[in-house]
Amino acid sequence: MRSDLKLYGLFVGLNVTIMVTCDTLVYKVYEIGDFKITASGIVFSFCFLFSTLLTEVYGYRLAVRSIWIMVFCQSLYVILLNINALIQINNNEISKHYYGLYYDFWRVMIGSWLSVPISYFINGFIISKMKVIFSGQWFFVRYVLGSMCTQAALLLTSYPISLSGKYSFDELVNIISTTWSYKVVISILLLPLAIYLVGLVKRVEKINHFDFKTSYNPFNVYGAKKDKED
């Protein structure tokens, strides 16, 4: 990895911050008429934006490294919060509230171990592969397609685990479908911002990475580098 990258660490940090915020808000559900949507779903679209930016600018390998960092930090956060929620439950009213919210928070971690890598590996593959196929053009097509697939993979693997027992099956289907629709719409609304940020970061970093002959094995992102930069 180049040592002169100016903004890579910032976007990795933003992704981690947004992800742990999503974990904290996962049980908060807003009702809009007959529709239900999680508060985490509202925040999460920015995480998708930054992950797409990382792949588009820095390439698949560095984007996947950020995913592993995110999974590690997210797991540490959930473990610490879950453990502390189980200690001295009846100490005071605040402790009881913490226990009520987070006594089974380990579900979020299990769901995240499955959903976050799967969904973001899919997004990284789509953005990276289609960038090569389209010679760096048609970013908006790659962005929208990546959003639709990534959000679906994340919700279908995460919510059945983290929200099971909290809501009925019909409510869960409602939450998943509504949250998916919302996330895709918000991702599209954020497209102008994504285009602007991608262009800005490419100019600042003086890099436009193409993943020629790269390995898409997510467990091999620290191996020998064979990719090319423009």
Side-chain angles (χ1 to χ4, degrees):
M1 185 174 110
R2 281 173 40 177
S3 60
D4 61 338
L5 297 179
K6 303 176 181 67
L7 299 176
Y8 176 77
L10 170 63
F11 288 111
V12 173
L14 286 172
N15 261 352
V16 171
T17 301
I18 293 171
M19 187 55 67
V20 297
T21 302
C22 289
D23 289 338
T24 307
L25 296 176
V26 69
Y27 295 145
K28 176 67 177 181
V29 174
Y30 296 112
E31 295 185 9
I32 305 174
D34 295 330
F35 299 103
K36 298 178 183 293
I37 182 171
T38 60
S40 62
I42 296 174
V43 178
F44 181 79
S45 298
F46 289 95
C47 197
F48 166 78
L49 188 157
F50 294 138
S51 291
T52 300
L53 182 150
L54 285 168
T55 305
E56 177 71 18
V57 176
Y58 301 103
Y60 179 81
R61 295 163 61 86
L62 290 188
V64 171
R65 289 184 190 183
S66 75
I67 295 170
W68 288 126
I69 293 171
M70 186 165 57
V71 170
F72 173 79
C73 294
Q74 182 183 25
S75 299
L76 181 61
Y77 169 77
V78 172
I79 289 171
L80 292 175
L81 189 55
N82 201 171
I83 289 175
N84 282 279
L86 298 174
I87 297 175
Q88 295 185 355
I89 300 170
N90 297 314
N91 190 38
N92 51 51
E93 285 300 315
I94 294 178
S95 295
K96 292 177 182 178
H97 292 317
Y98 265 98
Y99 176 78
L101 279 174
Y102 301 119
Y103 75 95
D104 60 350
F105 208 44
W106 55 268
R107 290 175 179 268
V108 175
M109 183 176 66
I110 299 300
S112 297
W113 281 345
L114 180 66
S115 63
V116 172
I118 288 176
S119 58
Y120 279 109
F121 294 156
I122 290 174
N123 183 58
F125 177 81
I126 291 173
I127 299 298
S128 170
K129 199 70 175 177
M130 291 184 68
K131 182 177 182 180
V132 173
I133 293 173
F134 293 151
S135 300
Q137 304 300 312
W138 300 96
F139 172 74
F140 73 94
V141 174
R142 294 181 276 125
Y143 180 88
V144 173
L145 180 60
S147 174
M148 295 174 65
C149 296
T150 300
Q151 314 293 10
L154 182 80
L155 294 172
L156 290 173
T157 52
S158 174
Y159 280 19
I161 297 174
S162 60
L163 297 181
S164 61
K166 302 287 184 182
Y167 300 95
S168 67
F169 177 78
D170 290 341
E171 288 177 321
L172 189 59
V173 171
N174 188 322
I175 290 172
I176 290 175
S177 59
T178 304
T179 304
W180 179 84
S181 301
Y182 171 85
K183 286 183 174 183
V184 172
V185 170
I186 291 300
S187 295
I188 294 174
L189 293 177
L190 289 174
L191 179 58
L193 176 61
I195 293 174
Y196 171 77
L197 286 177
V198 165
L200 175 64
V201 175
K202 284 180 180 179
R203 291 193 297 272
V204 171
E205 300 284 28
K206 295 181 174 59
I207 182 175
N208 185 17
H209 194 100
F210 285 79
D211 291 307
F212 296 113
K213 298 181 180 180
T214 191
S215 169
Y216 288 99
N217 181 352
F219 301 100
N220 192 35
V221 293
Y222 290 96
K225 185 175 180 180
K226 298 180 181 179
D227 306 334
K228 295 181 180 179
E229 295 174 2
D230 179 13

